[in-house]
Amino acid sequence: MIKKIVALLILLLFVILFPKSLVFEEDDDFSATSQIFKLDYNQKNQVDYILSNMTIEEKCGQLVIPFAYGKDSTKSDDDFKRLKHLADDYFVGGFMFLQGNIENQTAIINNLQKSVKHPLLFSSDFERGVGMRLEDGVAFPSSMAVAAANDTTLTYYMGKVIGLESRALGIHQNYAPILDINHDPNNPIINTRAYSDNRDIVSKQSKAFIDGMHQEKLLTTAKHFPGHGATDTDSHAELPLISLDINQLNKDDLVPFRQAIASHVKSVMVGHLSVPAYEFNPDVPATLSKNIVTGLLKQQMQFSGLIITDAMNMSAITDNFTPGEAAVNAILAGNDLILFPIEEEETIDALVSAVQKKIIPLNRINYSVRKLITAKVWLGLYDNHPNVVNRDEMYTSLHQHNHWRLAEEIAEKSVTLLKDNDDYLPVDPNKYHKTALITMLDFRYRKGRKHQYPFEKFVFENFKYVKNVKVDNRDRKSTHKKALKVAKQSDLVIMPMYVTPKINRGSINLTEKQLDLVRDIIKLDKPVVVVSLGSPYLIGELPEAKCYLATYGSADISEKAAVNAILGKTDIGGILPVSVPEAGFIVGDGIYKESDGLWFQKENADTNYNFEVVDKLMQNAVNDKVFPGGVLLVGQRSKVIYHKAFGRHNYDANSQKITTESIFDLASLTKVVATTPAAMILVDQRLISLDEKVGYYLPEFTNNGKENITIRNLLLHNSGLPSWKPFYKMGLDSAGVVNAIMTSELESKSGETYRYSDLGMITMQKVVERVTGVPYPVFLKNNLYDKLEMNHTCYNPPADFQYFTVPTEEDNYWRHKHIKGSVHDESAASLNGVAGHAGLFSRADDIAKYAYTILNDGKYKKQTIFYPNTVRTWTSKQSAQSSRGLGWDTKSEGYSSAGSKFSLNSCGHTGFTGTSIWIDKDRDLFVILLTNRVNPTRENKSIIKFRPKLHDAIIDAVDYF
């Protein structure tokens, strides 16, 4: 009697909480669903027409999504016959593809689509991109790695790439993103597949991912409702218990789903989870619970898109229900699609029988079928039926350089350094004679297998004498003994640990014996770098580790990113997206380490950039005589991604070829590669002040109205000084030129008018010389060029540089010779080749190190060359008077030599001889173009039109979209 009363009270409470949940929802008003899919009037009529012409068998078949493999594509193959039978005879709604390859999978898709009455909806689990399932596709890092990268723009692009590639492959639905909050570090199946254990991070990242996929019209799927993160049980093996109460679920786990629904996510996947907070029967999984699917998801949270079950072949279902029972209960609970049943024919027959016996009302089936047809109409499947994949268009969309590069950038930005107590990183391989690579595996490794993990490959490529020992989970004493011996005999130990979520494993960790071995190695008195290529929670088991790096997964690009981070080839800036209280870490932790200088990649290395258009532009410029020769260098994110030489020293076909070692007369680039940085250094050292009058440093300058000119005026080019004077025609020597500048008159009042002035920068040079008391080239060498390893940057190139210097003009009016190895600018020549406005010679790779330093807020290889605020201020527009920064120019909204696509947050400069440098701070990008366009004559001005086109083409090559 008491039990009955309790049951009635529970029922009454449920009716109060969910008043509509006991009423069968057969509402034919599809305004909410149509709003998600944004159908117009004609499309709605199309949906109704299609539905009205379907039989019961067709309708029930449409609600089932069997599995398929992307292989064995021949029509005689038994696996393909199964798919064809289910599509043609059982009218299934579509197929979910598992592993395979692009060629075979698209062949299957085309063969199936050609014969079916109703277009098939193809889906797959592309949480990390198509490469997660297809062996020749782009694979991104794990979701947790994406969150660690902490850049929602990249997450959006990732979603867009997956959407573009999926649709090109004929895939219409992606079972992603995962919205689970990974509450439990021991969760064996979610773990790094989740973005975070923080609801806001999960919501923010998943929204960007969904928006990106929607941009390419891909059906998105939020999973695993109502949240699979608060458990240490794998639903593939048994029914996990989610013991959170209603308040906890509403406060955390349901928040990302609400956000996804607000973002018009197209479908939701319900997990096989026991959730007592909403389903009173603990043996009923959420998938089969009307309280959860209808009461919570559809009514409370007002989701009206497609609802799909998790795979029905999982033990949480198959251990307790027959395929038919599970399918009928899933539909009655409120699901629209049955995914991956173990017996497809039995499942469909059970649904048909249930309708015929009125266990499931026909309008309930109509309700779900209409949703599916709505989704197919939104996708355009009926309009384009039979929806075969165009192979040519497919390969155009796939394997694009920028897709791989995007995955690479996310991987690089995700690498997180949690500990580096003894400052081991970055590692210089030249300091260690012997390196031990002790690889820890959470699975059984087949001995004799000829397989090298990417991490191992990159270590062997970059370190001297490496010995590798693989330690798997069999806990063999002999292996442990060997690993410890190798570690003892080495100068450096690197320990990658492969601990990742796997189906039916039931746990996610190393064995205790493996952990003991790691602890013993850490105790050795030598550098030990621990790298988690999976679960970041391992740090909780290894508090002894002095250096601990996390990548959140073992995707190839993540393994490569880890080695590059260790070597200092890339910045380390990832943030921890989860808390590890056992080790004292919270969300957001992470040690920032900047890259160890600029990374020049090996010649012909694949950088995942497509510079074909840039190559053609440069070669055509030589052919069209824009310049005889040139070197173009492009750098991004601490890497030189393009460095090529074109043409010859002059237009003679037998003249010396330009190489990447060629040295060019920089002309006015001197202003920003010599004079401006010299002034920046002195301001940082408080030896000069921007607002101090020039006369304070150079009393001889105070005459003819120049008394109020400040250092700032010189750098802004608004001092009022003339632009230039033909000193070479006056027969003046160096002292005479300087005196002429010191006593010159103004052409406008100081501060009122922008006038680009060589005289102002020569004056700035003299301020530097007066304040420092050393010759200008010496000051620059000691304070800038030596520190930046700019070993080929100087005034008046010495004899051993002469072979590499590129000739400039055929001077037939003053020096009467072809100028090579001496400065082109007449004023600089009159100043004995050393001037603040011109005269500097350099190579592209030298200037690249300087540009990198500017982008890196003034730091180079742990040296502070300039203060960060100085760099930011001097490279920014200073007023509405002009586009000038301090010394630098900035990108103008109108015409610019940087083209139209560089961001306004860019700085740069050009040189008269055909040189330029442009730095886009938003893109972390710099472009250096060195040419000798004045050879043989300065009258050749074609470069004015060429430079903007070149810079626009470079932006097209580096931008993702």
Side-chain angles (χ1 to χ4, degrees):
M1 184 67 180
I2 294 175
K3 288 183 178 180
K4 289 183 179 180
I5 294 172
V6 171
L8 286 171
L9 289 173
I10 291 173
L11 180 61
L12 179 62
L13 177 62
F14 185 77
V15 171
I16 293 171
L17 290 174
F18 311 116
K20 295 183 179 180
S21 64
L22 298 181
V23 179
F24 220 99
E25 184 179 358
E26 310 308 341
D27 184 8
D28 278 334
D29 180 5
F30 259 69
S31 59
T33 302
S34 296
Q35 185 177 359
I36 288 179
F37 291 100
K38 297 180 180 178
L39 299 190
D40 60 28
Y41 178 79
N42 291 331
Q43 288 173 318
K44 291 177 185 177
N45 288 340
Q46 183 183 14
V47 171
D48 290 336
Y49 176 80
I50 294 167
L51 181 64
S52 67
N53 284 279
M54 294 174 74
T55 66
I56 293 175
E57 289 76 13
E58 287 177 305
K59 292 175 181 177
C60 291
Q62 286 288 297
L63 302 185
V64 176
I65 308 293
F67 78 95
Y69 283 100
K71 56 186 178 181
D72 303 323
S73 61
T74 60
K75 295 181 181 180
S76 61
D77 183 82
D78 289 341
D79 287 335
F80 181 76
K81 286 180 180 179
R82 166 184 157 266
L83 303 182
K84 188 129 176 58
H85 170 59
L86 290 172
D88 292 347
D89 303 328
Y90 273 83
F91 313 107
V92 293
F95 292 96
M96 176 191 76
F97 276 105
L98 300 173
Q99 283 77 14
N101 60 66
I102 291 172
E103 186 69 23
N104 287 347
Q105 181 171 296
T106 52
I108 292 171
I109 287 173
N110 285 351
N111 284 333
L112 290 175
Q113 290 282 33
K114 288 176 183 177
S115 64
V116 292
K117 179 179 178 181
H118 299 284
L120 294 163
L121 177 79
F122 290 109
S123 55
S124 200
D125 193 348
F126 291 157
E127 295 167 19
R128 296 190 295 106
V130 303
M132 181 174 170
R133 295 296 180 197
L134 300 174
E135 59 194 38
D136 43 359
V138 178
F140 287 86
S142 69
S143 295
M144 195 171 284
V146 172
N150 195 31
D151 188 335
T152 51
T153 299
L154 295 182
T155 311
Y156 170 84
Y157 287 151
M158 176 180 169
K160 185 175 174 63
V161 166
I162 292 173
L164 190 153
E165 293 194 342
S166 296
R167 292 307 305 268
L169 287 165
I171 298 297
H172 312 112
Q173 182 173 19
N174 185 12
Y175 297 135
I178 284 183
L179 301 190
D180 305 321
I181 297 173
N182 198 65
H183 296 287
D184 196 326
N186 297 314
N187 194 313
I189 194 61
I190 301 302
N191 208 282
T192 55
R193 292 170 64 203
Y195 287 110
S196 174
D197 62 6
N198 178 284
R199 68 176 193 188
D200 296 327
I201 293 176
V202 175
S203 298
K204 178 178 69 173
Q205 292 291 338
S206 59
K207 181 185 187 304
F209 191 51
I210 289 168
D211 289 346
M213 288 188 285
H214 283 173
Q215 188 67 30
E216 298 301 324
K217 213 156 192 180
L218 183 69
L219 287 176
T220 49
T221 309
K223 66 182 185 185
H224 305 85
F225 186 82
H228 200 323
T231 180
D232 61 2
T233 303
D234 178 4
S235 54
H236 293 85
E238 55 185 301
L239 183 63
L241 173 65
I242 305 297
S243 58
L244 303 178
D245 61 30
I246 288 178
N247 288 334
Q248 290 171 312
L249 287 166
N250 273 291
K251 180 183 175 183
D252 287 315
D253 291 58
L254 295 179
V255 171
F257 287 98
R258 290 195 185 97
Q259 172 65 65
I261 291 169
S263 298
H264 298 297
V265 69
K266 307 306 179 189
S267 61
V268 170
M269 179 181 286
V270 184
H272 303 317
L273 309 164
S274 176
V275 190
Y278 286 101
E279 174 51 61
F280 305 114
N281 186 339
D283 296 327
V284 175
T287 335
L288 309 183
S289 169
K290 187 170 185 181
N291 298 338
I292 292 174
V293 179
T294 297
L296 177 60
L297 179 58
K298 295 172 73 173
Q299 294 183 346
Q300 269 200 25
M301 299 178 70
Q302 297 186 329
F303 180 66
S304 55
L306 280 170
I307 301 174
I308 186 167
T309 71
D310 204 344
M312 300 292 271
N313 71 327
M314 293 159 67
S315 296
I317 297 296
T318 59
D319 286 352
N320 302 292
F321 304 91
T322 67
E325 290 172 342
V328 171
N329 288 336
I331 295 298
L332 289 173
N335 293 280
D336 300 306
L337 299 176
I338 311 298
L339 179 65
F340 202 165
I342 57 172
E343 294 289 346
E344 300 96 348
E345 294 179 22
E346 181 182 338
T347 297
I348 296 170
D349 289 342
L351 291 177
V352 172
S353 177
V355 173
Q356 291 171 339
K357 294 177 180 178
K358 299 188 178 179
I359 296 172
I360 302 178
L362 179 58
N363 62 346
R364 171 68 190 87
I365 297 295
N366 289 341
Y367 179 78
S368 289
V369 176
R370 182 182 275 111
K371 278 190 186 181
L372 178 60
I373 297 171
T374 297
K376 290 182 178 182
V377 168
W378 178 76
L379 290 161
L381 300 189
Y382 281 94
D383 297 337
N384 299 317
H385 194 49
N387 297 288
V388 294
V389 176
N390 183 309
R391 297 293 185 90
D392 293 335
E393 293 180 3
M394 176 188 73
Y395 283 112
T396 300
S397 299
L398 297 174
H399 295 166
Q400 291 189 29
H401 288 273
N402 61 330
H403 296 181
W404 292 100
R405 180 160 43 88
L406 174 63
E408 187 177 78
E409 182 175 354
I410 293 172
E412 289 175 355
K413 288 189 173 180
S414 72
V415 176
T416 307
L417 182 62
L418 292 177
K419 295 180 76 173
D420 192 18
N421 297 354
D422 293 338
D423 203 25
Y424 292 151
L425 302 186
V427 172
D428 181 356
N430 296 317
K431 292 182 178 179
Y432 303 99
H433 178 62
K434 294 180 180 179
T435 299
L437 180 61
I438 312 299
T439 303
M440 310 299 294
L441 307 170
D442 69 344
F443 54 90
R444 181 167 295 189
Y445 183 81
R446 293 198 301 274
K447 194 172 182 179
R449 173 182 175 189
K450 292 183 179 180
H451 176 76
Q452 191 178 46
Y453 296 104
F455 189 93
E456 296 172 335
K457 175 179 177 288
F458 297 126
V459 168
F460 274 96
E461 285 178 356
N462 289 281
F463 287 80
K464 297 178 179 178
Y465 190 68
V466 180
K467 272 197 172 182
N468 184 18
V469 182
K470 292 184 175 71
V471 183
D472 67 14
N473 61 0
R474 284 177 288 189
D475 293 327
R476 290 179 173 175
K477 288 185 180 179
S478 59
T479 306
H480 287 221
K481 186 177 179 180
K482 179 182 178 182
L484 190 57
K485 180 181 178 181
V486 169
K488 285 180 179 179
Q489 295 174 343
S490 300
D491 307 312
L492 169 71
V493 182
I494 301 175
M495 301 186 70
M497 300 185 177
Y498 291 81
V499 180
T500 55
K502 293 180 182 67
I503 292 173
N504 291 321
R505 281 290 303 277
S507 65
I508 182 166
N509 210 336
L510 297 176
T511 67
E512 195 56 44
K513 289 183 179 179
Q514 284 177 303
L515 290 169
D516 285 341
L517 172 61
V518 175
R519 295 180 186 114
D520 288 342
I521 292 174
I522 290 172
K523 290 175 185 176
L524 299 175
D525 187 22
K526 57 190 62 189
V528 179
V529 179
V530 178
V531 184
S532 171
L533 297 171
S535 170
Y537 300 106
L538 278 175
I539 187 66
E541 303 277 358
L542 300 168
E544 304 90 348
K546 292 183 179 180
C547 183
Y548 184 94
L549 206 66
T551 67
Y552 313 95
S554 57
D556 289 3
I557 50 172
S558 293
E559 296 189 31
K560 180 180 179 181
V563 177
N564 284 339
I566 291 170
L567 292 168
K569 291 183 176 180
T570 54
D571 293 345
I572 303 176
I575 63 154
L576 186 66
V578 295
S579 294
V580 190
E582 297 84 0
F585 293 106
I586 61 173
V587 171
D589 280 349
I591 301 168
Y592 176 75
K593 290 260 184 174
E594 66 184 44
S595 61
D596 192 22
L598 184 63
W599 177 22
F600 289 82
Q601 301 183 89
K602 294 178 181 178
E603 192 173 354
N604 298 321
D606 185 4
T607 61
N608 285 324
Y609 290 83
N610 184 354
F611 283 111
E612 289 181 5
V613 173
V614 173
D615 286 339
K616 289 178 182 177
L617 279 171
M618 287 295 293
Q619 190 56 56
N620 288 341
V622 172
N623 297 341
D624 297 339
K625 296 188 176 182
V626 175
F627 43 76
V631 173
L632 176 65
L633 185 148
V634 183
Q636 188 172 39
R637 303 198 327 270
S638 75
K639 302 175 190 173
V640 171
I641 58 175
Y642 185 99
H643 189 196
K644 287 187 180 181
F646 297 83
R648 297 178 179 272
H649 280 210
N650 57 55
Y651 291 115
D652 183 347
N654 296 317
S655 70
Q656 185 176 334
K657 283 187 176 182
I658 299 288
T659 72
T660 54
E661 296 178 327
S662 295
I663 297 172
F664 289 79
D665 181 338
L666 299 185
S668 283
L669 286 197
T670 302
K671 294 179 174 70
V672 290
V673 185
T675 307
T676 298
M680 292 167 72
I681 290 168
L682 294 186
V683 167
D684 283 346
Q685 294 176 351
R686 298 189 177 181
L687 294 177
I688 64 173
S689 170
L690 284 172
D691 294 312
E692 184 61 76
K693 293 180 175 63
V694 175
Y696 176 80
Y697 307 104
L698 301 173
E700 63 270 32
F701 185 75
T702 309
N703 56 68
N704 292 326
K706 301 194 297 294
E707 294 81 3
N708 292 322
I709 295 176
T710 63
I711 298 295
R712 188 185 299 275
N713 294 139
L714 296 181
L715 293 165
L716 287 175
H717 292 278
N718 65 1
S719 65
L721 286 168
S723 295
W724 75 290
K725 286 187 177 181
F727 297 118
Y728 73 99
K729 292 182 179 180
M730 303 175 190
L732 300 175
D733 61 8
S734 177
V737 171
V738 172
N739 182 64
I741 295 173
M742 294 299 107
T743 58
S744 65
E745 297 182 353
L746 297 182
E747 291 188 351
S748 60
K749 187 175 180 182
S750 176
E752 284 189 353
T753 305
Y754 164 72
R755 179 180 285 104
Y756 181 78
S757 174
D758 288 350
L759 274 62
M761 297 307 279
I762 297 171
T763 303
M764 189 69 244
Q765 168 204 352
K766 294 304 169 183
V767 171
V768 174
E769 290 177 332
R770 183 68 57 86
V771 169
T772 62
V774 298
Y776 201 51
V778 174
F779 175 80
L780 288 166
K781 184 175 188 299
N782 294 341
N783 290 274
L784 186 64
Y785 303 145
D786 283 354
K787 290 183 178 182
L788 297 186
E789 302 170 303
M790 296 171 67
N791 301 320
H792 300 87
T793 303
C794 63
Y795 287 97
N796 294 319
D800 57 340
F801 281 14
Q802 288 297 317
Y803 173 80
F804 299 97
T805 58
V806 179
T808 52
E809 191 169 15
E810 184 74 46
D811 183 349
N812 54 15
Y813 50 89
W814 181 41
R815 284 165 282 191
H816 300 287
K817 66 177 182 178
H818 200 165
I819 302 168
K820 183 182 186 299
S822 60
V823 63
H824 172 262
D825 182 89
E826 294 87 356
S827 296
S830 298
L831 288 163
N832 299 324
V834 179
H837 74 293
L840 201 66
F841 286 74
S842 188
R843 295 187 347 184
D845 52 355
D846 269 17
I847 304 173
K849 296 168 187 174
Y850 172 62
Y852 161 79
T853 303
I854 295 297
L855 271 176
N856 201 37
D857 277 345
K859 290 185 179 180
Y860 182 81
K861 289 191 173 182
K862 297 184 179 180
Q863 304 173 92
T864 297
I865 309 298
F866 315 109
Y867 290 159
N869 191 56
T870 300
V871 174
R872 294 170 197 149
T873 300
W874 289 50
T875 57
S876 300
K877 183 177 177 179
Q878 297 295 299
S879 71
Q881 189 180 68
S882 73
S883 61
R884 305 299 303 192
L886 291 166
W888 291 90
D889 197 3
T890 67
K891 174 72 166 56
S892 59
E893 294 191 36
Y895 170 82
S896 171
S897 62
S900 61
K901 297 182 179 181
F902 263 65
S903 76
L904 291 178
N905 190 23
S906 298
C907 63
H909 214 284
T910 60
F912 187 77
T913 52
T915 60
S916 63
I917 176 174
W918 275 102
I919 299 171
D920 190 327
K921 292 182 277 185
D922 285 353
R923 290 183 171 89
D924 201 3
L925 173 80
F926 58 85
V927 178
I928 296 154
L929 174 65
L930 304 182
T931 78
N932 59 337
R933 69 96 190 170
V934 294
N935 187 3
T937 172
R938 66 182 64 192
E939 298 307 315
N940 177 12
K941 299 178 181 178
S942 302
I943 200 166
I944 294 174
K945 293 182 179 179
F946 171 75
R947 270 191 295 227
K949 292 179 183 178
L950 177 69
H951 286 87
D952 281 350
I954 290 169
I955 295 301
D956 288 339
V958 302
D959 276 3
Y960 293 118
F961 294 101

